[in-house]
Structure formats: C-alpha cells, structure tokens
Amino acid sequence: MRLMLVDFLILFAFLFLLIEAVPTPASTLETDIQERDTTTKPSSEQQQAKRIERRGGNGKPKRPGGRKKKKDEGGLPKYFHEPGGSELGNHYDSRFEHGIQDYADRKNTQLHMLRAYLTFFHENHLETWLAHGTLLGWWWNGRMLPWDWDIDTQVSGSTLNYLGDHYNQTRYDYQSDEEVSVKRTYLLDVNPAIKERERGNGNNIIDARWIDTRNGLYIDITGLSETHPDDQPGVWVCKNYHRYETMDLYPMRETMYEGVVAKVPYAYDRILANEYASKALVITDYEGHRWDPIVKEWLPKSDEELKEDRRIREEKERAEKEAEERKKEKEAEEEMHKQVEEGRKRKAKEDAKKELAKQKADKQAEVQRQKEMQQRMKGANTSGQHNHGPEHAHENEAPLGPQGGKEKSVDHTDSHKTQPPGESASDMSQASRPG
C-alpha cells in the first residue's frame, strides 16, 4: 500500500511538471510527446518489447499503416526543381544554378553554408540535427565527407510548421568569423506541401531547403512526424520512409561539427548501422579517398593509388564476370541433366502406362475368349441333348431291311424245328430265292 502511494505521488508530481512546462516557439519532438502522452515512462524492457512488436517481431520496422510505395497518388506538383543532366546537376537549385562547381569551390560553399545554417537555427532557438551522410561524416571526424555532395538535416514536424509560418522565404546574410572576406546570402525556402506528411506522389519528399543564392547548392531539410500514433506510437517518419524510434532520437546530443555547435540523435550509432550497415563505420577506403588514422581525415588518393585501385577493381570485375559465366554454365548443364532425367522418367512412365494398357487389353481379350469358349461349349451341349432323345425313342424298333421294310425277328428255335433234315440254312435261303 505504501509503495502504491509513493508511485501515485511521483505520477502526480510528473503530471504537474508537464502542465507547468511552457514550450518554446520552436516546438520539438519532446514537446510533441508531452502533449500526446502524460503517462509515466515505461521500463527499458517494456520499451524494447514494444519496439520489437512495432517492427513485426523481427527487428525490421514496418511501413506506417502497412502502406506500400506508389508512384502516383495525386497531390501537389513538384516544388523544388534541379537542372539535372547529370548526377551532380541534381544537387543544385534551378533558380540559382550557374554551372557545376569544382572540388575546391564546392567544399568551400558547403562549409560556410552549413555553418550559416547551424548558426541561424541556434540564434533563433530552432532545433535541428544532422542526418544521413552528414551524420556519417560527423561520426568519423566531425566533418563532412569530402565526396558527399549532399548535406542532410532533420527537424520535428512541429518545428517544420513553425518554420513555414514564421521563417519561410527568409534571407540570411552571413559573414565568416575566420574569413572576413566571405560574405554570403542564404535563402530558407519551405515547401508548401509540408502539411502533407505522407509520401503521396513522391514529388515533395524534401520539406525545405537552405540555399546558397550564389550558385544554387543547398541543404535538404526533412521533417519527422508521428504519422500513425494509434497503431504505431513513438515511430517518427519522413516522406522518404526513413523511420526512427523516439528513444533513438532523444535526448539529443550536443556536439561540434565543422567548428560550430550541432546536435545529433541519441542512438546515432544504431541509426547509422540501420541505414548504411555496420561496414560504413569501419571501411577506410571509399570513393577515391582513404582514411588516415593519424591526422583523422579522409585524404584523396594519388594518381598512382587510383590507377592501382582501378586495376584491382577491373580484375575483381573480370573474376566476378567469369564466376558468373561459370555459374550460368553449371546451371545450364544442371538444367540439361534435369531435362534429360525428366525425359527419361517421363518415357519410363509412358512405357509403364503402355505396358499396363497392353496387359489390360490382353486380359480383356482372354476374358472374351473364355466367354466365347463357354458359349460354344454350352451350344454344343444343348445340340447333343436334342439329338440323343429320338435314338432312345426307337431303340426297341427293329432295324430296316434291305428293301426298306422292317425285318421281322426270326425265332431261330422254330426255324430249326421246321428245317428239313439234311438241309442247311443257306441251302434253304438259296432255294427260296426266285430263279
């Protein structure tokens, strides 16, 4: 009972603090959670169980609401446009692009653009954090990856709406503290489609941009929203289907990035491993650069190193191609053997069917022959019985004589009595015949 009373007092104090808290204009995910949920925080075991349940029991996050990607679901037309024409051309805003920047100009543009962005958000008490490849660069050495043309950041859905209501089309004048000659103007452009928190037709997955008005290079800003709080509470999603657990994002970690204060998600290592796989955190040779653990930088490779890399890559591709060809040949051979074996089995089955049909036909013929023999024997027996009857009817009649008349039976006893003495029966017969 005493424990229940203590728990009740703790819960009451926690609710009182939530009611008294006054959110800043730049509402964050933490503010959203407080407005939505005023219950006590579950234990770590309960949180882990809920996470696994939301991810379908296999650790993989489910698509919000079971939705599937669709290429065309209607919605607003595309707001941000890029000149295109090449992969690099897709990293410029068409309104300000004046050609592709070289390596040095691009790195300089990105450095000051990022510093200006983080400074602007910090000065206006707006929360933002590093994401995707930008977060991966921070993990290695707190700097941008030298081969990465993208700078990605994220904000909460409430912060995104606040930007749209109060800072859209803001032009920010920037001057570098280290290089006095560096003066730039940046445009914060918020997409009118920020109210649509589902992907829709895919035209407006980028919610806002921080654009260098000199050349059109930009920072992508995407918002995270709890789009399905009823069946998937605590799952925050952007329009490009990147999803995060509340416990992975908060509390945010404050750090340094490219010489200015920045924020990164609490479980940054898990987020990076889920997005890029664990090898992205350990591989030290990538995109023509190698990691130098002494200076802790990604250094561009020399021409000789690049040539050697090309040779190794070509040999690897050739070996993979040969292995693939051998695999196909083996599969073709196995398929041929399979077809031959299937043909043999099919022929054996057909032969067995034919033999069975022949045996059946022979059996039927034998049965038919037996029936016919029985019928003939039955007919012969019937005919024999019919002829045997009259013979018995005349068996007492005397046989016919030579003249067709009936021979009379002769009583040889009487004949001997009347026969004259000295005459034989033959003499008497001859004497009786006419001359």
Side-chain angles (χ1 to χ4, degrees):
M1 185 68 182
R2 182 178 299 175
L3 291 176
M4 293 179 60
L5 180 60
V6 172
D7 291 340
F8 177 79
L9 292 175
I10 293 175
L11 177 61
F12 180 81
F14 180 74
L15 293 175
F16 178 79
L17 291 175
L18 290 179
I19 295 173
E20 292 297 321
V22 179
T24 60
S27 301
T28 65
L29 283 175
E30 292 175 319
T31 305
D32 296 338
I33 295 171
Q34 292 173 357
E35 293 175 351
R36 177 182 58 81
D37 188 7
T38 58
T39 60
T40 57
K41 185 177 180 180
S43 64
S44 58
E45 291 80 6
Q46 292 173 328
Q47 291 176 336
Q48 182 68 15
K50 289 183 178 181
R51 175 188 298 175
I52 295 175
E53 180 180 357
R54 285 194 294 268
R55 294 186 176 187
N58 57 3
K60 294 182 179 180
K62 298 185 293 184
R63 191 180 302 282
R67 290 174 52 84
K68 295 182 178 179
K69 291 183 179 182
K70 295 183 180 180
K71 293 184 178 180
D72 188 5
E73 297 182 357
L76 297 174
K78 183 176 174 62
Y79 180 73
F80 293 115
H81 293 274
E82 304 79 28
S86 66
E87 177 63 24
L88 298 181
N90 293 327
H91 298 283
Y92 292 84
D93 188 284
S94 297
R95 296 168 292 180
F96 305 100
E97 181 264 337
H98 302 293
I100 305 299
Q101 305 294 302
D102 60 24
Y103 184 88
D105 289 342
R106 173 176 64 85
K107 295 302 296 178
N108 182 270
T109 296
Q110 288 179 323
L111 173 63
H112 293 289
M113 181 167 57
L114 180 66
R115 287 179 174 178
Y117 171 85
L118 294 175
T119 300
F120 173 81
F121 272 70
H122 181 72
E123 290 175 349
N124 292 281
H125 307 287
L126 301 168
E127 185 181 62
T128 185
W129 60 89
L130 310 180
H132 309 312
T134 307
L135 179 62
L136 182 60
W138 168 84
W139 186 90
W140 279 97
N141 60 353
R143 302 181 64 181
M144 288 180 286
L145 298 172
W147 59 82
D148 194 1
W149 284 75
D150 289 326
I151 299 179
D152 296 294
T153 62
Q154 292 174 336
V155 297
S156 68
S158 56
T159 298
L160 182 63
N161 289 327
Y162 192 83
L163 288 174
D165 294 338
H166 298 87
Y167 292 99
N168 190 21
Q169 301 302 313
T170 295
R171 288 180 176 263
Y172 180 70
D173 294 325
Y174 164 84
Q175 182 173 354
S176 172
D177 295 332
E178 299 176 355
E179 303 176 52
V180 181
S181 60
V182 175
K183 296 181 180 181
R184 313 275 168 85
T185 299
Y186 301 98
L187 171 66
L188 176 59
D189 193 358
V190 181
N191 193 326
I194 60 172
K195 301 299 181 182
E196 296 180 357
R197 297 319 304 154
E198 299 285 358
R199 182 183 179 90
N201 56 17
N203 287 334
N204 296 288
I205 61 176
I206 302 301
D207 292 308
R209 277 178 177 171
W210 181 264
I211 307 170
D212 189 328
T213 58
R214 299 177 309 117
N215 50 35
L217 285 171
Y218 55 77
I219 296 175
D220 277 334
I221 307 171
T222 55
L224 299 183
S225 301
E226 194 180 20
T227 55
H228 296 272
D230 294 333
D231 58 346
Q232 294 188 42
V235 178
W236 303 85
V237 189
C238 71
K239 293 182 182 179
N240 206 26
Y241 295 124
H242 293 288
R243 54 189 52 79
Y244 310 88
E245 302 281 347
T246 302
M247 65 188 69
D248 290 339
L249 295 171
Y250 276 89
M252 287 283 170
R253 299 175 184 267
E254 191 169 279
T255 183
M256 298 295 292
Y257 187 68
E258 290 291 0
V260 293
V261 177
K263 289 184 177 181
V264 297
Y266 178 77
Y268 57 84
D269 50 349
R270 181 162 53 240
I271 290 175
L272 289 173
N274 288 338
E275 184 171 356
Y276 296 104
S278 299
K279 66 179 183 179
L281 307 180
V282 296
I283 190 172
T284 58
D285 191 320
Y286 194 75
E287 289 291 331
H289 293 74
R290 58 180 176 81
W291 173 254
D292 190 325
I294 298 176
V295 298
K296 298 186 180 303
E297 287 188 15
W298 288 95
L299 303 179
K301 292 185 177 181
S302 63
D303 293 340
E304 291 76 12
E305 289 176 318
L306 293 175
K307 184 178 180 180
E308 180 65 15
D309 288 347
R310 191 180 304 110
R311 185 190 64 80
I312 295 174
R313 184 170 58 253
E314 291 174 353
E315 288 183 356
K316 182 178 179 181
E317 292 175 353
R318 182 167 56 253
E320 291 176 350
K321 184 177 180 181
E322 293 176 354
E324 183 67 22
E325 291 176 353
R326 288 194 299 270
K327 181 180 178 181
K328 290 181 179 179
E329 291 176 357
K330 184 178 180 180
E331 290 176 350
E333 184 177 354
E334 291 176 351
E335 181 65 22
M336 183 182 66
H337 288 314
K338 181 180 178 181
Q339 292 179 359
V340 171
E341 183 65 18
E342 289 178 351
R344 186 187 66 78
K345 291 181 179 179
R346 186 166 51 251
K347 186 176 183 303
K349 189 175 181 179
E350 292 174 355
D351 292 344
K353 287 183 178 179
K354 290 180 181 179
E355 181 64 22
L356 185 62
K358 182 177 179 300
Q359 293 176 2
K360 185 177 180 180
D362 292 344
K363 186 175 181 179
Q364 291 176 349
E366 179 64 20
V367 172
Q368 184 65 25
R369 188 179 67 81
Q370 296 275 352
K371 288 182 178 180
E372 292 175 355
M373 288 182 63
Q374 291 176 1
Q375 290 176 356
R376 284 198 298 269
M377 291 177 65
K378 184 177 180 181
N381 292 336
T382 304
S383 176
Q385 292 176 2
H386 177 72
N387 295 333
H388 188 63
E391 291 177 357
H392 287 281
H394 300 286
E395 63 181 350
N396 295 324
E397 294 183 3
L400 296 176
Q403 302 301 323
K406 295 180 179 179
E407 294 185 356
K408 295 179 180 179
S409 60
V410 180
D411 188 350
H412 296 286
T413 305
D414 293 342
S415 63
H416 287 294
K417 289 182 179 180
T418 59
Q419 181 179 352
E423 293 184 1
S424 64
S426 60
D427 294 338
M428 289 180 66
S429 174
Q430 292 177 358
S432 65
R433 293 178 183 177

